Amino acid sequence: MTEFRMPSLGADMEAGTLVEWMVKPGDRVKRGDVVAIVETQKGAIEVEIFETGEIEQILVDVGAKVPVGTPLAKIRDAPDAMAGLDVAPAKEALAASLAPPPAVAPAAPRLALPSISAGPMPPSVGRIRASPAARRLAQTQKLDLATITGSGPLGAIIAQDVEGSRAVAPLLEKKRAEPGLDLEAMRAAIAAAMTRSKREIPHYYLEHQVDVTPCEAWLAQTNATRPPDKRLLMGALAVKAVALAAHRFPTFNGFYREGKFELARGVHVGVAIAIRGGGLAAPAIRDADRISCDELMGRMRDLIQRMRSGRIRSSEIADSTITISSLGERGVEALYGIIYPPQVALVGVGKIVARPWIVDGAIAPRSIVTLTLSGDHRANDGHAGALFLAEIGKLLREPEKL
Amino acid sequence: MSDVDIRAVLREELGNIAPEIDMSSVDPSADLREALDIDSMDFLNFVTAIHHRLGINIPEIDYPKLMTLDGAVSYLEAKLA
């Protein structure tokens, strides 16, 4: 049994106010975990723990100001706690597979600078960082934490964020009955994510023109014998090709978080979908590299129909590892997207246009599409980006193999 | 099925795809993709709905004939005749 005490966060600190607990009794903690937020004259500070074990009892309530050295919680020693990954329930294991655990965090308390270190959005994959108070509040308000933007340490969701998000989250379940309200909230969410992206991500952009005449021919032939509900669209082939290429070029598939790139284990392609009347969301097609084009098409149809009618589940918009965006066949020839943080790449697919093209030494009319890549230069480079785009182009040359 | 009935079915199905648009205000000779801001996925859903409701399997090669409300009504009338 050990005690977790109010730390001294500087020679001039005499007391601190417990702002929020990030753990509750029964939670397992290990050295380096952030367990509480403490307010001092220097601002809010995330406090990490030095012990490994299980929280037995919380001794100081939120809001209390206590002197340095005051016991804040009792920790029960748990020798097997380090084996947590092995005994973790399936859900945790899944989270771990999506987001490899970060390296051991520094053991000393660090200054939390919400405006710099904590982006407007929580890490969207794996276990959601949120304080117990935020979890309770979200539960009573029937809000999904995955939809809430965290402003606490490392992007953790704190109670205040849940309060602030009440206008945003319900839009996911709401019909278009009050379009003004929904779209306004969605606009705010887009603004936050895109502002963060342009502030933090050093984007670079590449483009590559691909002859998709083989895709069109193959689709026409394939769809000719199928009823409408079994037909495929070019969009499904594009998503499959991007997913396969992302699998082969893993530095485009993952997350840049806390100063480093984390590879994602699966390829979950977020498909940017315009919502009628304004707004945008990018729900994920999970394991898009491993499912058939038919299954992929079915899932896209389902997602798009539900997204457009406002019946999307919040979990579906949470875990994309790369995004694909297309402005449709009446759109533009090329689009240069803004990466959706913490992802590191976005592939844009322009509309198909008829162009004179050189085929086997002669000019021929061909259907051309411009693929673009927006890459996060912290995670990948233009050289790999060029190969990644070329790979997508190569895959689209043989649609029957997708 | 009369012209009026087919037109009503089409308006209803297009209304499901573009619920915010007042179908009675759509010019029957206008390009539906532009008038309703629909893309290939929406159009495929429209064709699928017609297949389910009227039993008419519209091949892709005939899609251009259904680009306006008037065109779609004529096409389906001929198919049902």
Side-chain angles (χ1 to χ4, degrees):
Chain A
M1 174 77 60
T2 52
E3 281 172 336
F4 169 60
R5 295 167 185 270
M6 175 65 78
S8 172
L9 305 166
D12 56 342
M13 175 174 161
E14 291 172 359
T17 303
L18 204 296
V19 177
E20 195 150 356
W21 279 106
M22 307 300 284
V23 293
K24 60 183 185 311
D27 281 359
R28 281 187 167 180
V29 292
K30 62 179 186 311
R31 185 183 170 91
D33 283 353
V34 174
V35 296
I37 302 172
V38 168
E39 180 85 30
T40 72
Q41 302 96 311
K42 291 176 181 163
I45 291 177
E46 58 184 271
V47 181
E48 296 165 272
I49 198 162
F50 291 89
E51 293 82 18
T52 290
E54 186 180 306
I55 303 288
E56 182 174 325
Q57 194 186 351
I58 299 287
L59 302 170
V60 171
D61 290 334
V62 168
K65 184 172 185 177
V66 297
V68 168
T70 306
L72 300 176
K74 286 185 183 174
I75 314 296
R76 188 187 297 131
D77 297 333
D80 62 336
M82 290 308 281
L85 265 182
D86 297 324
V87 298
K91 205 173 154 193
E92 292 283 319
L94 175 67
S97 77
L98 291 167
V104 176
R110 286 171 303 181
L111 257 180
L113 300 168
S115 62
I116 296 168
S117 66
M121 304 201 329
S124 57
V125 172
R127 189 168 183 278
I128 294 164
R129 267 181 192 274
S131 70
R135 287 182 194 279
R136 261 196 315 277
L137 192 59
Q139 200 174 6
T140 56
Q141 306 274 358
K142 297 200 188 329
L143 296 176
D144 188 325
L145 287 172
T147 66
I148 297 171
T149 297
S151 68
L154 301 174
I157 299 164
I158 58 176
Q160 210 178 314
D161 298 326
V162 180
E163 285 287 341
S165 79
R166 267 187 288 178
V168 179
L171 79 98
L172 296 163
E173 275 132 31
K174 214 180 283 175
K175 281 271 189 178
R176 242 175 274 122
E178 297 168 276
L181 179 70
D182 290 358
L183 298 177
E184 200 177 308
M186 180 164 273
R187 181 52 43 199
I190 294 169
M194 296 299 100
T195 303
R196 175 184 168 192
S197 179
K198 278 288 183 171
R199 189 178 61 228
E200 296 180 1
I201 301 178
H203 287 67
Y204 68 88
Y205 307 94
L206 305 176
E207 74 166 63
H208 180 52
Q209 293 188 322
V210 175
D211 178 357
V212 293
T213 312
C215 292
E216 288 193 322
W218 183 79
L219 283 171
Q221 192 191 348
T222 303
N223 289 341
T225 57
R226 295 181 175 206
D229 57 2
K230 300 286 182 211
R231 287 177 196 162
L232 295 170
L233 290 175
M234 183 63 206
L237 302 183
V239 170
K240 185 70 189 285
V242 168
L244 288 172
H247 178 77
R248 287 169 204 172
F249 290 84
T251 59
F252 296 90
N253 187 59
F255 314 100
Y256 193 90
R257 280 198 287 236
E258 294 168 33
K260 63 184 175 50
F261 175 65
E262 301 164 12
L263 293 173
R265 302 282 168 85
V267 179
H268 310 315
V269 180
V271 180
I273 297 171
I275 292 167
R276 299 193 69 89
L280 175 72
I285 298 187
R286 297 183 56 84
D287 297 313
D289 57 326
R290 286 155 52 179
I291 59 178
S292 68
C293 284
D294 286 330
E295 188 179 348
L296 204 155
M297 179 69 194
R299 288 213 229 155
M300 278 176 76
R301 283 185 88 151
D302 173 57
L303 273 181
I304 291 173
Q305 260 171 329
R306 285 189 295 118
M307 178 61 77
R308 293 220 168 123
S309 58
R311 283 177 289 123
I312 202 75
R313 289 182 289 268
S314 56
S315 61
E316 289 172 323
I317 64 168
D319 65 358
S320 307
T321 59
I322 184 170
T323 296
I324 181 167
S325 181
S326 166
L327 295 176
E329 57 275 12
R330 288 185 303 112
V332 292
E333 287 185 35
L335 68 105
Y336 299 88
I338 300 177
I339 297 167
Y340 196 82
Q343 293 167 37
V344 296
L346 180 144
V347 175
V349 181
K351 69 171 174 182
I352 298 173
V353 290
R355 287 282 178 269
W357 213 246
I358 309 263
V359 184
D360 296 330
I363 296 174
R366 304 291 279 187
S367 296
I368 305 301
V369 77
T370 299
L371 300 176
T372 60
L373 171 69
S374 304
D376 181 340
H377 222 322
R378 299 170 303 179
N380 48 65
D381 300 314
H383 176 72
L387 295 174
F388 174 59
L389 277 186
E391 177 74 14
I392 300 169
K394 253 184 253 170
L395 289 161
L396 290 174
R397 244 177 264 156
E398 297 181 300
E400 67 282 357
K401 292 186 184 166
L402 285 173
Chain B
M1 189 176 265
S2 71
D3 179 305
V4 178
D5 294 335
I6 292 174
R7 201 168 284 267
V9 168
L10 294 182
R11 280 182 197 272
E12 189 186 325
E13 292 303 338
L14 288 169
N16 287 339
I17 290 165
E20 80 285 9
I21 297 205
D22 175 10
M23 289 305 300
S24 62
S25 71
V26 172
D27 176 355
S29 63
D31 186 320
L32 289 172
R33 293 166 300 178
E34 278 164 28
L36 305 182
D37 189 19
I38 58 180
D39 63 13
S40 56
M41 184 68 87
D42 294 319
F43 197 79
L44 179 55
N45 285 332
F46 173 59
V47 169
T48 302
I50 292 172
H51 185 220
H52 289 156
R53 281 193 66 169
L54 305 177
I56 298 172
N57 183 351
I58 304 166
E60 278 187 340
I61 205 162
D62 286 347
Y63 285 1
K65 296 175 186 168
L66 290 95
M67 287 305 167
T68 67
L69 194 55
D70 279 347
V73 170
S74 311
Y75 177 87
L76 294 171
E77 265 181 344
K79 287 280 178 186
L80 286 168

